[in-house]
Amino acid sequence: MFAWLQRRSAPPPIDEERWQRLRRRIEPVRRMPTERLDALRGLTARFLASKAITPVAGLRLDEDRRLTLAALCCLPIIDLDFEALAGWHELVVYPGQFRVRRHHHDEDTGVVAEWDDELAGEAWDRGPVIVSWADVRADLRDPGSGCSVLVHEIAHKLDVLDGAMDGAPPLPAARRAAWIAAMQPAYESLCAALAALPEGVEPDPESFPVDPYAAEAPDEFFAVVSEYHFSAPQVLREAMPEVARQLAQFYGPSPMDLPRQI
Ligand SMILES: [Zn+2]
């Protein structure tokens, strides 16, 4: 109801002082040129006006923290459109990593396996994005680490926009072909490097070009390399130049390649 009205009315603007504080808190935002910064500010205001940010398990979020979370969610969509965040309405924030119950029903054996996972973030298909505030803060403190839990989860949301969680966001046919031509060999060579490890040996993240978690599945690969694009683009360029090029085309140039503006 009144969707047309909501679309036409501008969201409440973000307070100038608060925005300047935010600029100093998020390294890629600190390095962003004015034009993109203005776009991010507009998107962040729309995010705050249209999505719920829900702290749970005793966490408290003041206005500055909410602004930080909203801006981080919008960071990957500056070159896209706010509609890229369509189909979900809530960001749920835990104080730390959270435990989820997993089930797997093996069709052949009929065995149902159940286990617990500790997660820093999760994005449900058509459901909320869930993150750990402790992990978001760790990313803010170490912005060149190659980790960004919110970029990771938003990449999953962009991936599933076309209905398939397959490691590719919606793209015109020719660009999709180029995307797959870049992503697939890089993904497969990472999988091969992991498969070459002796049995029972845990991969040492230091000896891999990117976090070996990227080899879980093509959708995780897209999410992990997206984290590098926004935090350590030079690492990605050296390890996977074609992948880096596709991401720069999709997300726009990484602000981490620029000097600080403030
Ligand atoms: Zn993931």
Side-chain angles (χ1 to χ4, degrees):
M1 195 165 64
F2 298 133
W4 60 275
L5 242 181
Q6 274 179 3
R7 265 203 302 276
R8 281 156 51 124
S9 62
I14 297 166
D15 174 74
E16 179 63 22
E17 235 175 79
R18 184 160 283 147
W19 182 250
Q20 293 308 327
R21 274 205 299 279
L22 171 107
R23 282 185 70 188
R24 287 184 170 77
R25 208 177 305 130
I26 306 179
E27 191 63 35
V29 178
R30 203 165 188 177
R31 292 161 186 261
M32 210 170 263
T34 312
E35 198 179 298
R36 296 173 71 78
L37 194 62
D38 290 346
L40 179 68
R41 189 170 176 166
L43 291 165
T44 303
R46 285 186 73 179
F47 188 99
L48 288 167
S50 61
K51 300 206 194 288
I53 300 177
T54 311
V56 295
L59 179 69
R60 293 163 82 121
L61 291 175
D62 62 13
E63 290 304 308
D64 279 354
R65 285 178 170 189
R66 286 175 185 273
L67 185 62
T68 300
L69 289 161
L72 286 169
C73 285
C74 294
L75 190 58
I77 62 156
I78 294 178
D79 267 26
L80 306 171
D81 182 89
F82 191 70
E83 287 306 306
L85 299 183
W88 58 282
H89 308 286
E90 189 178 23
L91 173 66
V92 176
V93 191
Y94 279 85
Q97 299 207 342
F98 48 96
R99 195 171 279 270
V100 292
R101 197 95 258 257
R102 301 287 194 201
H103 307 262
H104 176 74
H105 180 213
D106 191 306
E107 298 285 335
D108 299 330
T109 62
V111 174
V112 178
E114 279 200 339
W115 68 98
D116 285 339
D117 262 351
E118 283 276 327
L119 298 181
E122 191 173 38
W124 293 6
D125 184 9
R126 277 186 286 260
V129 170
I130 308 168
V131 288
S132 136
W133 174 249
D135 285 78
V136 171
R137 282 190 60 178
D139 296 343
L140 291 173
R141 276 197 296 264
D142 192 2
S145 64
C147 298
S148 175
V149 62
L150 269 172
V151 164
H152 183 109
E153 301 312 330
I154 297 299
H156 282 321
K157 286 298 194 186
L158 300 176
D159 186 340
V160 83
L161 276 174
D162 56 4
M165 193 84 140
D166 57 359
L171 292 168
R175 278 200 56 201
R176 184 178 166 85
W179 180 278
I180 293 168
M183 298 286 170
Q184 199 163 327
Y187 168 69
E188 284 171 0
S189 87
L190 187 65
C191 292
L194 276 165
L197 289 174
E199 215 173 309
V201 172
E202 283 295 311
D204 169 15
E206 298 295 314
S207 60
F208 285 88
V210 300
D211 185 342
Y213 182 69
E216 280 288 299
D219 54 310
E220 295 303 341
F221 183 81
F222 170 34
V224 169
V225 293
S226 296
E227 295 184 65
Y228 282 85
H229 175 77
F230 286 100
S231 65
Q234 71 292 350
V235 173
L236 188 62
R237 265 197 304 276
E238 269 167 43
M240 303 172 172
E242 290 303 322
V243 169
R245 200 164 300 139
Q246 287 299 320
L247 293 189
Q249 232 184 74
F250 179 63
Y251 289 123
S254 173
M256 291 299 276
D257 283 327
L258 301 170
R260 278 183 178 170
Q261 307 288 313
I262 54 166

